[in-house]
Every structure is written in structure tokens, then in C-alpha cells.
Amino acid sequence: MRDMADKPPFRFLPPKSRPARLRPWVQLAFAAIWLAPVRTWTAGIPSCVFHCYACPLVSLSCPVGLVANYATWHIIPWLTIAVVFSVAALVGSLVCGWMCPFGALQDLFNKIPGPKISLPKWTGYGRYVVLVGVVIVLPYVLGGMGIAYDDQVVSICRECPAGAVEAAVPRQVMAWAGIDGPVHVHTIKWVLIAVFLVSITVIYRPWCKVLCPLGGFLALFNRFSFFQLHLNRPQCINCNLCHSRCSMDVEVTKAPNSAGCIRCLDCIACGALTPSIPAFGKKPPKEDEPGDRV
Amino acid sequence: MLAIAAMLAVVLWSGQGNWLRRQVGLNLQATGLEAMSTPPGKAASKPSTHPTIKTAPKGKGFCPT
């Protein structure tokens, strides 16, 4: 098998696979669920996606914010752990590619034409630094010193771009419109918002790639989850289509279930790579079975 | 899936519904939405005695701004 890096990327990409074409609509449908104005009844239930619970329109709670709050209190968030573990065991980071509203927002902004930058792979470890350092250890230590989560100057919720875009901006607009009470958005927050909006236009999903603690945790389950991506090696003709399609810079033919993948399924157009759920009876095709080719 | 179903069955069968309610209540407190969920005319729940727990003021949701 020749090395994929030797092959040039596709100049004119063939049409995307059907699941990949459906993905924006699924993201839109899930966004409608996460943004449903029913939090009076459901706000205490943790969700499995990264969506700020201070947003005026929010149905469920952000699991990352909950874990950080509980770390301050020195309590284990069993319900949040159960929800996130269950989803991670079922589909892994499929959540990031198909369900996360913050991921959908980044997808949308990245469609703005202009120069695009690729990040080195080691930056993906930043997600685990944030998860352990900022979401668990820092609030745990500050909580032990008697500082409440709301009073902690450095915390995931204060520095979170989702909180800035989904909560600070709409609340400020509502305050200006006289719908809500006065809100003071710090200058640093506005700078964060500006940096984030610029970065998502030039880098594909920078938050997901480098800093998202929830995405990093879900991605750990990619190799073990029920949902798997299976590469039928005899069918692979090294056409490089999967590499050309992948916006997350995953080495698809080497490790289709790696932690850098968000399972957007943009890479399955050639037919050699197929999604499978072996535990539920939908097994990957046999090695000698012919598949759809582009 | 079986393990999750079994876990849920044990939780519900053993009358651990209180555990679930406590978890949801704590989550509400964490999100600062507890006061917002209180029906009009009723007082919000008492602030916790835990030194690090801060209940959001009545009518105010937690906002990381």
C-alpha cells in the first residue's frame, strides 16, 4: 500500500455521501431540541452536548459546566457522568459531528470563503489539559479554598466561547432591547468573542480540535463505542478521497476511529469505509464484498 | 445497553427516585436556574449551608458574563 501523503488531494471532489449531505439538517434538528424554551422543566437534566446553560434559549444543562460546579462543591456528579458515559459508549464523538449546536455554529462560519489554516495534531491534547486542569482540578482547589464557582475569576464558564456567543451576546442584545435586565459584558469577553469568530472562519472547528473538554472525553470512546467506522482494506484503492474530504485532518486509512475524528461521515463516499454497529447486528461488509465506488 | 437498562431498573426498583430528584435539584442549583424554576408567589429554596455553595438570587439565572 502506498503512502497516502504521496498522493495529491482531489482537485474536483465527487459528491458527498448521503449521510454527509443529511448532516446539516440533522444538526439543525438537534439545535431545535437544545434551543427549545422548556428549561423550566428540564434545566436540571444534563445534556450530552456543549451548549451554555446561561443561554436564554436552552433546554438542558451543559455537562462541562455541571462537572466544574460539582468539582467546586467536592461532589461527584453521578447523573452527568451516567448521561455522558452512556452516550459516549453508544456513539463516541458522533455527538460532536451531528448533535452539538456549537459544532454546527463553527461548521457554518467555516463556510465563509477565505484562507484556511491547518493545526498540528499535538494541539488535540489541549482538550485533555482543559478537561483535567480547568474543568476538574482548578475548581476543586478553588472550591476547597472557599471560593464559590460564580466568584472564580478563572473558570471554564467564564472563559468559554460558547458562553460568550450563546449567552453573553444574546443577553446583551436583550438588555439593549429592554427585554432583560442590565448585563455587563466585560471587555475581555468581547475580545474573546472577536478572536473566536475570526478563528472559526480560518480554522475548521478550532474549539473542537484544541480545547473542547467534552469532545476530548467523547473521543476517548471512539475505539470502543458501539458505533464504529470500518475500513475494508481490500476495497481501498488509495484514491485519497477520504483524506481530501476530512476537515479534522484524521489519518482515516490508518486509524478510522481515532480520537481526532468527529464522525461527520464525510469520508465514506468511496464505499471502502463504512459505518457499522456490530453490537446491534449491523456488521461491517466482508473483506471480499464489492462496495460502491466513486 | 443491557447494563444501562439494568442500572436504571435497579435505581427505580429500589426506590432511589429520591436520588434522581436530588441530582436534578443539585444540577438546578449548579446552573443557577433553581430560583428561575420556582413558581411565582413561592419563595425559592433555602440557600445551602455548604460554605462553597452559592444559590443564585431569586429571579436571576447564572450567567458567566
Side-chain angles (χ1 to χ4, degrees):
Chain A
M1 186 183 276
R2 274 188 298 171
D3 189 6
M4 286 295 181
D6 296 341
K7 284 211 156 194
F10 270 72
R11 188 173 276 268
F12 301 106
L13 290 173
K16 285 184 176 180
S17 64
R18 197 178 174 196
R21 289 200 302 274
L22 278 174
R23 193 166 71 94
W25 300 106
V26 176
Q27 286 177 309
L28 193 68
F30 271 106
I33 294 171
W34 310 129
L35 295 170
V38 292
R39 72 171 169 192
T40 309
W41 303 285
T42 57
I45 302 166
S47 72
C48 60
V49 293
F50 200 73
H51 178 42
C52 184
Y53 50 56
C55 175
L57 284 176
V58 65
S59 54
L60 304 171
S61 302
C62 170
V64 176
L66 285 177
V67 168
N69 265 285
Y70 274 69
T72 305
W73 298 340
H74 296 184
I75 303 172
I76 300 170
W78 290 113
L79 187 60
T80 310
I81 289 172
V83 168
V84 176
F85 260 85
S86 306
V87 174
L90 284 174
V91 294
S93 61
L94 190 82
V95 171
C96 308
W98 291 72
M99 301 178 197
C100 182
F102 198 55
L105 181 80
Q106 293 176 77
D107 282 352
L108 198 66
F109 269 76
N110 197 254
K111 290 191 187 302
I112 297 170
K116 305 291 173 191
I117 300 169
S118 194
L119 295 172
K121 280 184 185 158
W122 58 264
T123 53
Y125 291 108
R127 299 179 295 176
Y128 303 105
V129 174
V130 174
L131 176 63
V132 177
V134 186
V135 178
I136 298 170
V137 174
L138 187 68
Y140 185 90
V141 172
L142 294 177
M145 292 162 68
I147 304 171
Y149 190 65
D150 289 6
D151 298 332
Q152 292 172 14
V153 178
V154 179
S155 71
I156 184 72
C157 288
R158 280 197 188 276
E159 272 66 55
C160 175
V165 174
E166 295 169 355
V169 172
R171 278 178 186 273
Q172 182 67 76
V173 171
M174 285 165 72
W176 283 334
I179 302 167
D180 203 3
V183 173
H184 173 68
V185 180
H186 202 275
T187 313
I188 296 170
K189 203 81 173 176
W190 288 118
V191 173
L192 271 175
I193 292 166
V195 169
F196 174 72
L197 290 179
V198 171
S199 66
I200 58 176
T201 56
V202 294
I203 305 168
Y204 183 74
R205 290 199 179 213
W207 174 258
C208 310
K209 279 182 179 172
V210 183
L211 293 169
C212 183
L214 181 62
F217 179 80
L218 292 170
L220 290 175
F221 287 74
N222 278 357
R223 290 185 187 189
F224 319 106
S225 62
F226 287 102
F227 181 90
Q228 290 284 307
L229 280 174
H230 174 77
L231 176 66
N232 195 350
R233 291 201 181 272
Q235 279 195 350
C236 178
I237 56 167
N238 298 340
C239 68
N240 214 17
L241 177 61
C242 50
H243 287 248
S244 302
R245 278 263 186 253
C246 184
S247 305
M248 295 299 284
D249 306 323
V250 175
E251 291 186 44
V252 183
T253 49
K254 286 182 184 169
N257 295 299
S258 74
C261 178
I262 55 164
R263 294 181 161 174
C264 60
L265 305 185
D266 279 0
C267 57
I268 65 168
C270 72
L273 196 70
T274 48
S276 62
I277 312 173
F280 288 93
K282 191 184 176 187
K283 292 182 178 168
K286 287 178 185 172
E287 301 279 304
D288 55 352
E289 253 179 35
D292 299 332
R293 289 292 173 85
V294 177
Chain B
M1 284 298 285
L2 272 176
I4 295 165
M7 191 177 73
L8 270 176
V10 168
V11 165
L12 294 174
W13 175 74
S14 61
Q16 294 297 311
N18 285 335
W19 172 84
L20 202 62
R21 273 196 292 276
R22 201 163 54 245
Q23 284 285 316
V24 170
L26 267 175
N27 288 355
L28 274 176
Q29 202 171 24
T31 56
L33 295 167
E34 189 183 32
M36 292 180 84
S37 310
T38 311
K42 285 189 179 179
S45 62
K46 287 178 185 174
S48 170
T49 51
H50 193 284
T52 59
I53 292 176
K54 184 182 163 192
T55 309
K58 192 183 176 187
K60 289 264 182 181
F62 170 76
C63 181
T65 53

